[in-house]
Amino acid sequence: MTSSDMGARRRGAALWAIPEARAEVVATVPAGRFADPADIADASLFLLGDRVSYLTGECLTVDGGQWLGKRVYGRGAAG
């Protein structure tokens, strides 16, 4: 999730405009904030680097720790 203009053009734009809803979602992220586009770009650049040539078939979750067993959108613990 990103709160940038890029994210604002997506379907979640209405949700992020509601301060209470935005705070509820951010509260589920251990990093305490939405991702910046640079966070996503940095992860992408990491995957493109020479030092990860042996890494294959992985899904890299860039979510500020949201899926580490925390409440997600009021539905209890993930997992």
Side-chain angles (χ1 to χ4, degrees):
M1 289 179 283
T2 179
S3 61
S4 71
D5 290 338
M6 176 177 62
R9 289 191 296 264
R10 306 221 183 258
R11 292 184 307 197
L15 176 65
W16 309 146
I18 302 168
E20 296 82 12
R22 182 183 175 95
E24 182 178 340
V25 173
V26 171
T28 68
V29 182
R33 61 180 178 84
F34 285 106
D36 291 322
D39 294 321
I40 308 306
D42 288 345
S44 300
L45 290 173
F46 166 74
L47 291 173
L48 292 169
D50 294 335
R51 300 191 75 175
V52 293
S53 63
Y54 201 67
L55 184 68
T56 62
E58 293 299 319
C59 177
L60 181 63
T61 303
V62 183
D63 67 354
Q66 187 178 35
W67 288 101
L68 295 175
K70 305 292 183 189
R71 267 186 65 232
V72 180
Y73 306 120
R75 288 189 245 149

